[in-house]
């Protein structure tokens, strides 16, 4: 089925192929699912009960958002696949999440920094999608942007606490920055599908999101008494299906039941 | 004329309030043994919520559908929330969460033995919800009327969520039982493993339960262990039949005269072995909690250090 609420998208979408919207919506779905999965690995093992709850909460929000995207992607594709088919029966090379979100939890500092980098992009993207001509994406953004603003507040506060906490917390955060900063750039680097949607006016040019993202990062790092990281060699590939080794293991766990018992209802 | 206060000892006045079903509140006088019993019971309950996150948490990353994953994660998160209310309720009796956790980690405080059994298949998520939460509800519903106010109020919230958990557990079992043969076999296999351990959740036989009498007198407890165990069997046997599953106890039989099910004897050796730390998962459950606490120490220290720095800066600014 074609997206019918915007004639420009429909016009650019040949009837036989799903067009650029399908891979993009799938990318959003994969991204939220993989990060939710990672956060859910903390469940029962958090540093303090309140933060265990907070991480489960964020995971639940992202999982809910992922489901909305998968359902929409399935509808766009129009081949009878369900949200579960898309999540459970695609291989790692078919997954479209950016490399950042599949990175392991490591310690709490890594989890926080991964979340901060993602939230800062996610929140600003959703804000821009509120006025998206594709009404379905706009509706999902409307539902998710408030949650994303809480996520960003939470991860920003923790970056500040860890940076301006103890020597150990600062050192751990610096290590997380050294490991994860290089995955940030992929978030705002458009893939061919994203470029096509930007040209159609469905997606904002990511350059327009950068000033607000950078201003927020500068504020948080100043509060955390941390120097802003300099330029790094960015790692990219997840959004086009080239992942780190971590994703395969994550998917083998995520997809275990569906792969072991094909075609059953749970 | 003498007032009641002059005639009755504080102990007698306290018991008179209990007998009149007046709630005891944190600032009221209470016998030291009542306070200690409650701290023991509420903290044990809080620890059970905390440790109880682990066996179900074990399946969050492998849940078979996005919907199931979401429901399971929300359920385990509810348990963390119950832990929080209960630690807070216990703190009103003059202990601290740090002290209670230290007692858990040292092995001094107990948690429900049921969580020392492993979760081996997806059907275990059904059994934990259906049977374990079902047993917990029977234990906990009377606690909504327990004599200590903060505990009773915490339990009202806990019970509402638990009954939702139990329904979703039953629904997992029902889906499996109406599914493919291997799904039904998975459900039966899980029931075989969980049935007896859930009967053990009601505690030792009344004759072997030293705290029951005093707890009943203080109205902390309102039913005995054996009464609750019988209620559970009477409730669950028909549900298992409805699902088309067989309870793994050949002695289960309806007793017309008693209007209740007869059932076999719990393996009390196994019960005491698990209570004493020799269940399959005792060591790893406790170790998981100790590790989370120890590995989280630097995070808690950082949060405190930052809060202190911020307070100092704000004091200077003011």
């Amino acid at each position: 089925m074609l997206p019918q609420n915007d004639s420009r998208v429909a016009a650019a979408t040949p009837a036989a192929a799903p067009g650029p919207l399908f891979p993009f919506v799938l990318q959003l779905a994969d991204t939220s699912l993989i990060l939710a999965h990672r956060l859910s690995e903390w469940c029962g093992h958090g540093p303090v009960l309140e933060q265990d709850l907070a991480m489960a909460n964020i995971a639940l929000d992202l999982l809910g958002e992922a489901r909305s995207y998968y359902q929409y992607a399935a509808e766009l594709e129009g081949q009878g696949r369900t949200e579960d088919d898309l999540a459970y029966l695609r291989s790692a090379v078919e997954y479209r999440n950016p490399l950042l979100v599949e990175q392991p939890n490591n310690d709490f500092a890594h989890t926080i920094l991964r979340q901060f980098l993602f939230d800062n992009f996610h929140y600003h993207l959703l804000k821009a999608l509120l006025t998206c001509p594709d009404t379905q994406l706009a509706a999902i953004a409307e539902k998710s942007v408030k949650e994303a603003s809480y996520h960003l507040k939470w991860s920003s506060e923790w970056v500040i606490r860890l940076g301006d906490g103890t020597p150990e917390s600062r050192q751990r955060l610096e290590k997380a920055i050294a490991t994860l900063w290089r995955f940030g750039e992929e978030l705002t680097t458009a893939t061919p599908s994203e470029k096509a949607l930007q040209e159609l006016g469905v997606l904002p040019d990511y350059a327009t999101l950068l000033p607000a993202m950078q201003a927020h990062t500068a504020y948080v790092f100043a509060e955390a008494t941390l120097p802003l990281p300099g330029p790094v060699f960015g790692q990219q590939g997840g959004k086009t299906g080239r992942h780190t080794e971590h994703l395969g293991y994550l998917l083998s766990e995520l997809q275990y039941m569906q792969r072991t018992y094909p075609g059953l209802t749970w | 004329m003498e007032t009641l206060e002059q005639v009755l000892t504080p102990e007698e006045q306290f018991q008179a309030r209990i007998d009149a079903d007046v709630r005891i509140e944190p600032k009221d006088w209470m016998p030291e043994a009542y306070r200690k019993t409650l701290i023991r019971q509420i903290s044990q309950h809080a620890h059970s919520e905390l440790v109880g996150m682990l066996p179900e948490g074990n399946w969050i990353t492998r849940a078979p559908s996005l919907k199931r994953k979401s429901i399971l994660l929300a359920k385990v998160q509810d348990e963390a929330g119950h832990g929080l209310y209960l630690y807070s309720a216990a703190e009103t009796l003059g202990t601290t969460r740090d002290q209670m956790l230290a007692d858990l980690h040292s092995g001094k405080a107990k948690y429900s033995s049921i969580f020392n059994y492993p979760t081996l298949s997806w059907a275990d998520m059904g059994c934990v919800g259906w049977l374990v939460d079902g047993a917990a509800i029977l234990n906990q519903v009377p606690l909504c009327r327990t004599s200590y106010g903060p505990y009773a109020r915490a339990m009202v919230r806990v019970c509402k969520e638990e009954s939702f958990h139990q329904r979703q557990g039953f629904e997992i079992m029902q889906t499996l039982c109406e599914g493919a043969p291997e799904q039904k076999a998975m459900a039966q296999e899980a029931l075989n493993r969980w049935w007896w351990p859930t009967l053990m959740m009601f505690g030792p036989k009344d004759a072997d339960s030293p705290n029951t009498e005093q707890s009943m007198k203080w109205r902390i407890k309102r039913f005995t262990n054996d009464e609750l165990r019988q209620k559970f069997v009477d409730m669950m046997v028909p549900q298992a039949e409805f699902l088309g599953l067989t309870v793994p106890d050949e002695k289960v039989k309806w007793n017309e005269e008693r209007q209740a099910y007869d059932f076999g004897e719990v393996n009390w050796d196994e019960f005491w072995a698990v209570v004493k730390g020799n269940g399959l998962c005792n060591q790893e459950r406790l170790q998981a909690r100790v590790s989370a606490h120890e590995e989280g120490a630097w995070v808690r220290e950082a949060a405190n250090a930052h809060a202190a720095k911020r307070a100092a800066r704000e004091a200077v600014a003011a």
Side-chain angles (χ1 to χ4, degrees):
Chain A
M1 195 196 298
L2 295 173
Q4 291 171 354
N5 40 42
D6 184 74
S7 55
R8 289 169 302 170
V9 181
T13 310
L21 198 52
F22 172 71
F24 176 67
V25 174
L26 205 50
Q27 175 189 315
L28 293 177
D30 291 345
T31 305
S32 292
L33 174 63
I34 297 300
L35 188 55
H37 184 99
R38 281 292 187 221
L39 284 169
S40 78
E41 292 171 354
W42 272 104
C43 194
H45 306 275
V48 63
L49 196 48
E50 284 81 351
Q51 300 314 318
D52 223 310
L53 274 161
M55 287 188 278
N57 234 333
I58 297 171
L60 277 168
D61 287 345
L62 291 173
L63 196 50
E65 193 186 343
R67 292 184 64 191
S68 301
Y69 292 135
Y70 279 127
Q71 286 160 13
Y72 184 36
E75 189 187 315
L76 286 170
E77 189 190 38
Q79 295 188 8
R81 287 206 279 184
T82 65
E83 55 169 359
D84 287 334
D85 294 336
L86 291 172
Y88 289 91
L89 301 176
R90 284 183 305 132
S91 64
V93 292
E94 293 171 282
Y95 257 73
R96 289 291 177 266
N97 60 281
L99 300 176
L100 176 72
V101 297
E102 72 199 38
Q103 298 311 303
N105 289 338
N106 203 315
D107 65 3
F108 189 68
H110 281 76
T111 295
I112 288 298
L113 192 79
R114 183 185 65 199
Q115 196 64 35
F116 173 74
L117 287 170
F118 174 73
D119 292 341
N120 195 22
F121 168 70
H122 186 219
Y123 169 69
H124 288 101
L125 174 70
L126 290 174
K127 237 172 88 175
L129 287 178
L130 289 174
T131 53
C132 176
D134 184 274
T135 52
Q136 188 63 33
L137 271 186
I140 299 172
E142 172 94 44
K143 189 178 159 288
S144 304
V145 72
K146 199 174 163 192
E147 295 167 352
S149 77
Y150 288 126
H151 305 168
L152 181 58
K153 184 168 182 284
W154 180 80
S155 57
S156 300
E157 282 171 357
W158 273 107
V159 169
I160 294 168
R161 278 191 201 106
L162 299 184
D164 185 34
T166 61
E168 182 181 0
S169 68
R170 186 184 179 88
Q171 198 187 7
R172 284 175 182 267
L173 187 60
E174 282 166 348
K175 209 170 161 193
I177 293 167
T179 312
L180 295 171
W181 203 258
R182 62 200 168 120
F183 296 116
E185 199 181 300
E186 184 179 11
L187 301 174
T188 50
T189 306
T191 62
S193 303
E194 286 173 300
K195 274 190 195 131
L197 292 170
Q198 286 170 340
E199 279 158 22
L200 290 167
V202 174
L203 259 187
D205 183 341
Y206 289 150
T208 63
L209 304 182
L210 286 173
M213 288 171 61
Q214 285 162 351
H216 184 70
T217 304
Y219 163 76
V220 169
F221 273 60
E223 288 286 302
T225 71
L226 285 168
L228 270 178
V232 289
F233 186 89
Q235 294 293 344
Q236 312 231 4
K239 293 203 291 191
T240 51
R242 292 194 177 184
H243 291 276
T244 56
E245 291 173 348
H246 305 296
L247 186 65
Y249 292 96
L250 187 156
L251 291 182
S252 64
E253 202 170 334
L254 176 85
Q255 300 179 336
Y256 159 66
M257 289 293 289
Q258 291 275 350
R259 299 287 191 184
T260 311
Y261 303 97
L264 301 185
T265 303
W266 302 93
Chain B
M1 193 180 146
E2 288 174 312
T3 63
L4 265 182
E5 282 74 18
Q6 288 165 312
V7 179
L8 300 176
T9 65
E11 195 102 17
E12 287 165 338
Q13 286 173 44
F14 175 82
Q15 190 60 50
R17 291 186 63 185
I18 299 266
D19 293 342
D21 261 336
V22 177
R23 287 269 164 82
I24 306 301
E25 295 300 333
K27 287 185 176 157
D28 296 340
W29 184 88
M30 61 186 83
E32 224 17 61
Y34 176 84
R35 184 187 301 277
K36 276 195 182 142
T37 300
L38 275 171
I39 290 177
R40 180 177 57 81
Q41 185 173 330
I42 302 173
S43 66
Q44 187 170 319
H45 191 167
H47 298 328
S48 300
E49 298 285 354
L50 198 61
V51 178
M53 294 170 75
L54 300 170
E56 287 177 287
N58 184 37
W59 279 88
I60 292 172
T61 55
R62 289 178 291 169
S65 72
L66 295 177
K67 187 179 156 204
R68 292 289 182 204
K69 193 179 183 72
S70 183
I71 294 172
L72 183 60
L73 181 55
K75 177 178 191 262
V76 180
Q77 190 201 27
D78 281 348
E79 283 154 14
H82 297 170
L84 271 186
Y85 317 149
L86 289 162
Y87 283 123
S88 303
E91 282 181 326
T92 64
L93 291 157
T95 182
T96 63
R97 204 201 301 181
D98 282 345
Q99 181 58 51
M100 290 183 268
L101 288 177
D103 289 344
L104 171 68
H105 298 157
S106 72
K108 186 181 160 203
K110 299 284 177 218
Y111 56 87
S112 178
S113 276
I114 194 73
F115 303 122
N116 292 317
Y117 289 84
T119 52
L120 302 177
S121 80
W122 172 251
D124 289 28
M125 297 302 99
C127 278
V128 170
W130 173 44
L131 297 175
V132 175
D133 293 334
I137 290 168
L138 279 183
N139 272 326
Q140 291 170 4
V141 166
L143 292 175
C144 299
R145 295 185 298 127
T146 196
S147 58
Y148 187 59
Y151 191 23
R153 289 187 287 274
M155 290 316 298
V156 171
R157 260 181 97 171
V158 170
C159 284
K160 273 187 197 153
E161 295 179 352
E162 289 295 348
S163 66
F164 174 74
H165 294 171
Q166 205 223 349
R167 278 203 300 277
Q168 70 83 32
F170 184 79
E171 205 259 319
I172 289 177
M173 294 304 278
Q174 200 174 359
T175 306
L176 293 175
C177 291
E178 289 169 359
E182 60 262 51
Q183 287 174 299
K184 189 157 185 190
M186 192 186 279
Q188 181 65 55
E189 190 276 333
L191 173 59
N192 293 348
R193 279 183 290 113
W194 288 96
W195 176 254
W196 289 108
T198 45
L199 291 193
M200 296 178 198
M201 285 177 70
F202 298 96
K205 279 190 286 195
D206 291 348
D208 300 323
S209 177
N211 301 320
T212 293
E213 194 189 336
Q214 181 63 66
S215 287
M216 299 275 285
K217 193 175 165 212
W218 278 333
R219 298 201 183 170
I220 294 174
K221 226 170 149 166
R222 288 175 176 262
F223 297 97
T224 72
N225 297 351
D226 288 335
E227 283 168 355
L228 290 170
R229 194 166 10 248
Q230 179 70 56
K231 261 193 189 186
F232 179 78
V233 172
D234 291 345
M235 189 167 98
M236 289 303 171
V237 169
Q239 291 185 16
E241 276 169 13
F242 174 84
L243 290 171
L245 297 174
T246 310
V247 167
D249 176 0
E250 287 170 0
K251 294 194 174 141
V252 163
K253 197 173 168 233
W254 178 250
N255 184 323
E256 192 58 37
E257 196 180 322
R258 289 202 305 125
Q259 286 295 299
Y261 283 93
D262 293 334
F263 57 99
E265 187 73 9
V266 167
N267 180 344
W268 295 110
D269 292 340
E270 177 182 325
F271 171 83
W272 291 112
V274 181
V275 168
K276 286 175 184 151
N278 295 313
L280 185 62
C281 301
N282 289 61
Q283 291 185 22
E284 62 190 275
R285 297 289 187 240
L286 195 54
Q287 190 51 49
R289 287 313 316 160
V290 170
S291 299
H293 192 74
E294 285 174 355
E295 284 160 23
W298 70 270
V299 178
R300 299 189 299 274
E301 281 159 18
N304 290 336
H306 176 72
K309 283 184 196 177
R310 176 160 282 201
R313 280 198 293 268
E314 276 161 15
V316 171

